[in-house]
Amino acid sequence: MKPRIGVFVCHCGLNIAATVEVSEVVKAIKDYPGVVHAQDYIYMCSDPGQELVRKAIREKNLTGLVMSNCSPSLHERTFRNLAASEGLNPYLVEVANIREYCSWPHQGDKETATKKALTIIKATIERVKRNQALVPLIVPLQKRVLVLGGGVAGMQTALDIAEGGYPVTILEKEAYLGGRVRQLDRTFISLESAPDLVNEMIDRTLKQPNIEVLTTAQIENLSGYVGNFEVRIRQQIPWVDPDKCNGCEACITACPAEVPSAFDRGLVTRKAIDWTPGERSGDKSIFLDHQVCRRVTHQENCTACQEACKEGAIAYPEDRFIEQTYGAIVVATGHDLYRKSALTEYAEDPDVLDALQFERMLAEDGPTGGKVMRPSDGKVPKEVVFVQCAGSRDPDKHFPYCSKVCCMYTCKEARRYKEKVPDGQAYLFYIDIRSTGKGYEEFVKESVEKERLLYLKGKVSKIARQGDKLLVLGGDTITGVQVEIEADLVVLAMATVPNPGAKELARLLNINTDPYGFIQEAHPKLAPVETLTAGIYLAGTSQAPKDIPHTIYQAGGAASKILSLFSRKELVHEPLVARVDTEICAGCGYCRDNCAFQAVDVDPIRKKAVVNEALCEGCGACATACPSGAIQVKNLDSKQVFDMISIVTQDYSLQP
Amino acid sequence: MKIPYYPGCTLKTKAKDLEDSAIAAAKVLDIEMEELPRWNCCGTVYSLASDDLIHQVGSIRNLVRVKEQGANQVVTLCSMCYNTLKRANEFFLADEEKQDRINRYMDEEIDYTGDVAVVHLLEILRDEVGMEKIKAAVKKPLTGLKVSPYYGCMLLRPASIGIDNTERPTVMEDLLRALGAEVIDDPYKTECCGAYQTVNRKDVVVTCVHSILTSAQRNGAEVIALSCPLCDFNLDNRQKDILQTYKGFHPIPVLYFTQLMAIAFGLDESVCRFELSYNDPRPLLKSKGLIE
Ligand SMILES: Cc1cc2nc3c(=O)[nH]c(=O)nc-3n(C[C@H](O)[C@H](O)[C@H](O)COP(=O)(O)OP(=O)(O)OC[C@H]3O[C@@H](n4cnc5c(N)ncnc54)[C@H](O)[C@@H]3O)c2cc1C
Ligand code: SF4
Ligand code: SF4
Ligand code: SF4
């Protein structure tokens, strides 16, 4: 069939018309081979403009449209929808961008601009001549969500999605839910109990019928794409049977493996088999931590606990693997604190704590029962120095970023200290006090006045053991004096860093991290809960340091994105994907090696490239890599590209 | 081993005790420190304080002298010389255009290309001799002598040229332990001594040094060990001024680490030139049975 193409040239007010001689363009293109209709109008996207296009399609029986106007990112969709409603396949419509590519950069040079506009339009006509009518791809959508991490971010996202009616699996690498918040004492600014706050959330999570919680579990492998992620999960089966265990502690006594307790941040030790860390009071149970057990760490055949147990509650089964398909994944793997030893100017000393250690000391369920004491000798500390920005805002030696929460939690911790030790003195070294949440500034002011917190604007240059005391050297930049404090205890507000393993996890999920290992969002402003991989979302401190309220906002954002994804029956994917001509393909795999989306693979038996259309973004990297032109992107194949190049280079071609 | 040695001005005058004891002690460890011929001023504060190329010329010329000896390493004793020479080298290496200009200006036989390593004697002791060999050379262990090492800034800062961890150096501690001394860890060991403020703001130096010395004493130190003649002047001679401001202050002797090496190696006391110290260390050393 002979092509019957319509060319529509838009003035865009004066945006195009002031620079491109529109009427000349129409005159010149009217008789171009294949064109049966050419027309200009002041605003082609307006209702009357669109009506002109509709009319032409109907009356002239057009087989393709070349819309010569602004960038395709603005109105390609408009005109493709228009074509579809007139019964013309939308993929037979292409935009010739004569605004951004022509009239704007060539203002004041009408001759050049008019000539160039004609070239762009002619090239697009040649492309449209070979365009095929395509139909969008339909991809099935598995409406089930995997949440990685069972902190407040993970639980909130799971709750929101589960309440929307979809099944969710939470994978938590530890034995307990709640993440860092479970380790805290109270929370700013309400000073409510952190365990109460998080336990209430854990209860709701465990009771929600649509949520499945897998503790001591991690993701092992991932393949697939949005709507259809194939996930392999590894879960450690508890080695202690809770139904048989009577809590006699015989196993704990027998176990030879004693390590610093991770939950209590090393303030006390625990056995490999011991009470479950972070559990809510009332449901205490024995937990055998595989990561610490000598059977795993030393590959020994230790059976001390099994032998000690009179109830026969202990066995050592192998890990189990679960395979499941998920439509969407949420990364909520949270944060950790930078290690104290990185700050070499500060002594490694039992009385120098990081802020989480101090939270454990303040917490009633902590190793001291909430009593503040010096770890070195158990005395109540009377002079406590808090150091803010420890490792943060230090581009030369540590991290350039602000950790966002430490100004607030340091104030909270100092205030809690003073409540417990009213005759003690709290000194807080700071650079600035960043209290930018609702009610935060008021909280700081109130704490300073009520508890006489002594804020000193400056940095601490040295912390050293000096007999019974810790010598703290610092500066107070407001009075300009050097400060020396003989402290009993020092608390470092260490920089927030991603949880260890975040980089490896990101690699496994094929998503990006920022230079510090936080998960990279798709766009800092407009897509803060998405990653660049469709179907993978993020929430909480895995993305950047933030407090609980902001974590909850982001969790809600991620959940609503997924609920909106799931509101569709199925997923629709652009049909502009790569296609392999199996008669030419030699199976060399260059296309596979060049695809950033892992969308091509070589069939090992047939030795032919195979495109996964659901993953293909139509970028064309494979087509440029293929030595024989066997793989081509639909509606932008090599013939079309060469036709367009011939038009563009017409003036330069060598005349014989 | 033989190694060219850059003394610098102070070691030929006020700090003769550092030079004599160092050369003698190094010899015990088979290190031959050969004074560089035709050495000139290291550059001191001028080369550190200004970006002008002309201020680097003096420093670089010394490194050319090293090359003239067919060597690629030069050892220093004074912390300040170490710092200026090493940083001049760094400055030189960072910019090819500057290298070219300095070379043209110097008009020396040998063009300098940045290939001379500037090292401090402490580095040689740690990295090339090793503490085990030093221990083996000890004849009179400094048993019971409570020594607090003091680094000051020039050996450690900036971090790029430091001989050890900027905040937690241990090289002098390791050396003193090898010599049998009891090492006192003083938190002020890397704090500023006041440096050249000693010329026109004595009071600043008095405050700094008072903190350093009293902290060391609080931790039990009987003597301070250091490597820099300027630190030595401030920590030792300025004690006279400290006594005027702080009545309760008890003077404490200050020695170069090389003097302690010489004693421990059983060398003749004369190489230590104790008469140059402001606070005579001899009564203390005698009481410990380390000298006659
Ligand atoms: C000392 C301190 C005090 C604080 N005080 C307050 C306060 O008073 N008020 C406030 O609003 N905020 C406070 N915060 C901030 C608060 O802790 C965070 O906002 C909150 O913990 C963020 O929750 P999250 O779920 O993003 O991360 P996390 O709490 O870190 O939880 C992440 C979870 O993911 C799990 N996980 C990690 N990797 C994996 C993996 N690969 N697979 C499976 N699971 C994984 C972890 O085990 C953890 O359970 C404080 C923070 C600190 C450090
Ligand atoms: S197997 Fe041995 S090391 Fe492991 S928990 Fe039991 S007693 Fe402890
Ligand atoms: S939140 Fe405050 S303490 Fe923490 S890094 Fe930022 S400014 Fe420093
Ligand atoms: S077009 Fe791009 S996304 Fe699609 S298979 Fe080729 S390289 Fe991968």
Side-chain angles (χ1 to χ4, degrees):
Chain A
M1 192 176 76
K2 269 203 158 159
R4 300 176 57 77
I5 293 170
V7 179
F8 298 85
V9 186
C10 180
H11 298 198
C12 194
L14 286 176
N15 270 299
I16 293 171
T19 309
V20 172
E21 199 58 77
V22 175
S23 53
E24 256 178 49
V25 171
V26 172
K27 209 154 71 197
I29 214 72
K30 224 167 50 209
D31 301 318
Y32 190 81
V35 175
V36 296
H37 181 88
Q39 184 172 21
D40 64 303
Y41 188 65
I42 180 161
Y43 289 114
M44 208 59 85
C45 59
S46 68
D47 282 349
Q50 293 199 34
E51 197 40 51
L52 290 177
V53 183
R54 288 178 193 281
K55 200 161 152 248
I57 295 174
R58 261 179 263 137
E59 289 179 357
K60 302 267 174 82
N61 207 9
L62 299 181
T63 62
L65 305 184
V66 172
M67 304 305 303
S68 318
N69 39 253
C70 53
S71 155
S73 65
L74 284 150
H75 282 304
E76 185 183 78
R77 190 116 305 278
T78 315
F79 295 120
R80 283 194 172 164
N81 287 345
L82 176 155
S85 69
E86 289 298 326
L88 179 65
N89 186 289
Y91 297 95
L92 300 173
V93 178
E94 295 293 347
V95 169
N97 181 354
I98 58 165
R99 193 178 77 175
E100 283 81 348
Y101 284 178
C102 184
S103 70
W104 280 357
H106 297 294
Q107 273 172 36
D109 188 354
K110 229 172 184 165
E111 204 187 316
T112 310
T114 307
K115 203 166 158 222
K116 181 169 167 184
L118 256 174
T119 309
I120 294 173
I121 293 168
K122 282 183 194 164
T124 313
I125 294 170
E126 291 307 326
R127 177 179 178 187
V128 169
K129 281 181 185 168
R130 291 189 193 271
N131 263 15
Q132 296 170 331
L134 301 173
V135 279
L137 304 164
I138 303 297
V139 182
L141 175 59
Q142 192 60 245
K143 294 183 185 175
R144 176 189 296 277
V145 181
L146 177 67
V147 175
L148 304 175
V152 289
M155 284 193 288
Q156 185 64 48
T157 316
L159 282 165
D160 287 349
I161 296 167
E163 278 156 23
Y166 299 103
V168 185
T169 304
I170 298 180
L171 276 202
E172 170 55 58
K173 77 169 159 51
E174 301 296 336
Y176 59 93
L177 290 176
R180 295 280 167 225
V181 181
R182 190 58 197 78
Q183 291 173 288
L184 305 182
D185 159 50
R186 301 281 173 97
T187 58
F188 59 77
I189 53 175
S190 56
L191 292 180
E192 69 192 295
S193 147
D196 286 357
L197 181 105
V198 77
N199 283 340
E200 190 270 337
M201 198 173 200
I202 295 174
D203 276 336
R204 275 195 289 140
T205 304
L206 294 174
K207 285 196 191 117
Q208 167 51 252
N210 281 331
I211 298 180
E212 170 195 30
V213 175
L214 300 177
T215 49
T216 57
Q218 291 199 57
I219 184 166
E220 275 257 315
N221 196 22
L222 173 96
S223 58
Y225 42 87
V226 55
N228 299 276
F229 291 109
E230 306 286 343
V231 179
R232 184 176 157 90
I233 295 164
R234 181 192 196 112
Q235 188 185 26
Q236 296 166 355
I237 301 175
W239 284 355
V240 183
D241 182 344
D243 296 333
K244 290 189 187 156
C245 172
N246 66 8
C248 72
E249 298 194 352
C251 54
I252 304 182
T253 320
C255 175
E258 187 162 0
V259 292
S261 155
F263 184 75
D264 287 319
R265 303 287 291 181
L267 288 179
V268 285
T269 57
R270 63 164 277 137
K271 294 288 188 73
I273 189 162
D274 213 322
W275 295 102
T276 310
E279 256 192 343
R280 295 156 301 160
S281 50
D283 58 31
K284 286 186 87 180
S285 67
I286 296 280
F287 166 64
L288 199 165
D289 189 345
H290 298 214
Q291 281 146 28
V292 182
C293 172
R294 298 184 73 86
R295 297 177 68 86
V296 178
T297 54
H298 290 66
Q299 305 287 319
E300 277 172 12
N301 192 24
C302 174
T303 51
C305 52
Q306 195 177 41
E307 282 159 33
C309 181
K310 300 267 180 303
E311 307 294 326
I314 300 170
Y316 311 109
E318 297 281 315
D319 291 355
R320 73 174 174 141
F321 293 92
I322 303 163
E323 276 169 18
Q324 181 66 272
T325 310
Y326 293 96
I329 296 176
V330 182
V331 184
T333 48
H335 68 292
D336 198 354
L337 292 186
Y338 190 37
R339 52 178 213 289
K340 286 183 289 181
S341 60
L343 305 183
T344 49
E345 63 272 41
Y346 299 165
E348 287 185 50
D349 192 283
D351 295 343
V352 178
L353 303 180
D354 73 22
L356 262 177
Q357 289 180 307
F358 195 58
E359 291 277 349
R360 289 313 295 146
M361 187 177 272
L362 290 169
E364 265 112 53
D365 67 352
T368 62
K371 200 166 164 275
V372 181
M373 57 172 71
R374 298 200 304 200
S376 60
D377 60 4
K379 280 199 196 134
V380 177
K382 288 294 160 63
E383 305 270 306
V384 179
V385 173
F386 294 86
V387 182
Q388 293 190 185
C389 305
S392 303
R393 305 180 65 187
D394 190 346
D396 287 343
K397 293 177 77 181
H398 305 287
F399 302 108
Y401 57 81
C402 164
S403 293
K404 286 258 317 233
V405 281
C406 9
C407 277
M408 289 308 295
Y409 74 56
T410 303
C411 178
K412 169 196 74 175
E413 289 181 0
R415 182 166 170 170
R416 289 285 292 153
Y417 161 68
K418 285 284 292 181
E419 281 172 18
K420 291 181 184 240
V421 186
D423 62 339
Q425 179 62 56
Y427 306 86
L428 296 89
F429 282 91
Y430 70 103
I431 303 180
D432 310 286
I433 301 174
R434 298 190 164 169
S435 50
T436 54
K438 183 172 175 176
Y440 286 14
E441 178 64 11
E442 296 92 313
F443 176 83
V444 175
K445 277 262 138 56
E446 185 191 294
S447 306
V448 171
E449 279 157 23
K450 188 158 168 276
E451 300 295 355
R452 309 197 142 275
L453 304 181
L454 185 55
Y455 270 95
L456 294 163
K457 188 175 172 71
K459 294 191 95 170
V460 168
S461 62
K462 180 150 289 176
I463 299 168
R465 171 66 47 195
Q466 185 88 282
D468 185 35
K469 296 275 186 177
L470 286 165
L471 176 74
V472 178
L473 303 183
D476 175 6
T477 55
I478 290 179
T479 55
V481 296
Q482 301 214 347
V483 187
E484 264 190 51
I485 299 169
E486 295 200 342
D488 293 306
L489 192 74
V490 175
V491 180
L492 305 177
M494 296 305 301
T496 302
V497 296
N499 248 327
K503 278 212 171 104
E504 292 69 40
L505 180 71
R507 214 167 296 134
L508 192 146
L509 299 177
N510 199 23
I511 56 178
N512 295 325
T513 52
D514 70 14
Y516 314 105
F518 289 108
I519 307 294
Q520 184 73 54
E521 63 282 352
H523 188 281
K525 292 182 192 65
L526 303 176
V529 302
E530 293 101 321
T531 66
L532 280 174
T533 302
I536 301 188
Y537 300 84
L538 43 79
T541 45
S542 60
Q543 179 241 352
K546 52 176 75 75
D547 58 16
I548 301 170
H550 284 85
T551 298
I552 302 291
Y553 304 154
Q554 204 184 15
S560 77
K561 289 279 169 194
I562 291 172
L563 289 173
S564 108
L565 177 78
F566 284 6
S567 69
R568 302 175 215 174
K569 232 170 87 211
E570 56 216 351
L571 294 177
V572 179
H573 189 72
E574 280 285 1
L576 300 165
V577 293
R579 177 178 48 196
V580 181
D581 186 337
T582 47
E583 290 189 12
I584 307 177
C585 173
C588 66
Y590 286 1
C591 50
R592 173 196 55 211
D593 301 343
N594 279 279
C595 177
F597 305 94
Q598 272 119 50
V600 220
D601 211 341
V602 178
D603 184 316
I605 297 163
R606 288 166 53 233
K607 299 268 186 298
K608 299 287 175 195
V610 184
V611 177
N612 183 334
E613 296 190 329
L615 283 179
C616 174
E617 289 289 329
C619 69
C622 53
T624 56
C626 179
S628 53
I631 192 164
Q632 302 271 338
V633 176
K634 290 182 189 170
N635 283 0
L636 196 61
D637 65 26
S638 53
K639 288 201 196 80
Q640 290 175 295
V641 173
F642 281 118
D643 286 351
M644 289 193 279
I645 292 175
S646 309
I647 298 283
V648 175
T649 55
Q650 232 163 24
D651 286 353
Y652 313 99
S653 56
L654 297 172
Q655 302 294 334
Chain B
M1 84 191 236
K2 259 192 198 164
I3 181 166
Y5 147 63
Y6 174 87
C9 57
T10 322
L11 271 78
K12 293 294 177 190
T13 52
K14 276 191 169 343
K16 223 25 199 152
D17 39 355
L18 173 53
E19 174 167 59
D20 289 359
S21 58
I23 291 176
K27 202 172 252 153
V28 175
L29 299 168
D30 305 324
I31 304 168
E32 230 38 73
M33 293 174 38
E34 273 191 327
E35 185 169 329
L36 205 59
R38 292 171 66 210
W39 58 268
N40 54 248
C41 171
C42 71
T44 70
V45 280
Y46 297 103
S47 71
L48 297 184
S50 164
D51 280 344
D52 286 354
L53 281 190
I54 190 73
H55 290 117
Q56 306 293 335
V57 171
S59 317
I60 299 295
R61 214 186 282 279
N62 285 316
L63 302 178
V64 176
R65 298 284 170 263
V66 178
K67 290 198 73 173
E68 284 168 1
Q69 300 302 304
N72 56 7
Q73 214 184 15
V74 59
V75 65
T76 60
L77 288 170
C78 163
S79 308
M80 184 76 173
C81 299
Y82 167 76
N83 197 291
T84 41
L85 292 181
K86 186 132 183 183
R87 279 169 80 182
N89 215 14
E90 223 186 24
F91 179 90
F92 182 86
L93 279 171
D95 189 331
E96 276 182 31
E97 199 189 310
K98 286 178 184 163
Q99 293 172 12
D100 189 48
R101 286 179 68 190
I102 290 180
N103 272 323
R104 280 166 202 259
Y105 182 83
M106 284 193 305
D107 199 21
E108 294 279 354
E109 280 299 307
I110 304 178
D111 260 2
Y112 188 58
T113 52
D115 49 352
V116 171
V118 178
V119 294
H120 191 268
L121 180 61
L122 281 168
E123 291 178 287
I124 299 214
L125 296 178
R126 177 190 60 201
D127 304 333
E128 295 189 29
V129 180
M131 295 304 161
E132 282 312 309
K133 186 165 173 201
I134 294 174
K135 217 181 213 164
V138 171
K139 295 229 172 65
K140 249 194 238 170
L142 307 178
T143 320
L145 189 66
K146 296 186 176 128
V147 192
S148 179
Y150 174 76
Y151 291 85
C153 49
M154 289 288 157
L155 285 179
L156 303 172
R157 289 168 197 276
S160 60
I161 61 109
I163 65 167
D164 204 343
N165 185 306
T166 325
E167 304 290 352
R168 282 190 210 164
T170 54
V171 51
M172 260 203 271
E173 280 82 344
D174 294 342
L175 171 68
L176 291 167
R177 256 182 228 117
L179 299 178
E182 185 178 327
V183 175
I184 302 294
D185 188 24
D186 171 22
Y188 282 82
K189 69 185 176 192
T190 57
E191 294 295 309
C192 177
C193 72
Y196 285 109
Q197 297 291 357
T198 205
V199 181
N200 51 1
R201 286 288 306 273
K202 240 198 275 185
D203 57 312
V204 170
V205 174
V206 164
T207 319
C208 294
V209 174
H210 178 256
S211 304
I212 296 166
L213 297 179
T214 48
S215 165
Q217 287 173 317
R218 248 199 322 272
N219 286 304
E222 298 168 320
V223 57
I224 309 283
L226 42 65
S227 80
C228 172
L230 180 55
C231 298
D232 180 69
F233 180 82
N234 284 344
L235 263 63
D236 192 10
N237 294 51
R238 284 282 170 250
Q239 291 189 27
K240 151 175 91 210
D241 306 290
I242 292 177
L243 274 169
Q244 281 168 15
T245 319
Y246 300 93
K247 294 291 172 239
F249 176 74
H250 294 288
I252 175 171
V254 180
L255 289 175
Y256 291 109
F257 69 94
T258 50
Q259 290 174 297
L260 289 168
M261 284 170 74
I263 299 168
F265 292 164
L267 300 180
D268 191 87
E269 195 193 309
S270 62
V271 301
C272 292
R273 308 286 299 264
F274 289 133
E275 72 279 7
L276 292 175
S277 290
Y278 175 76
N279 286 294
D280 193 347
R282 282 170 289 199
L284 171 72
L285 297 174
K286 254 186 211 140
S287 75
K288 300 277 170 185
L290 293 170
I291 56 172
E292 298 292 303

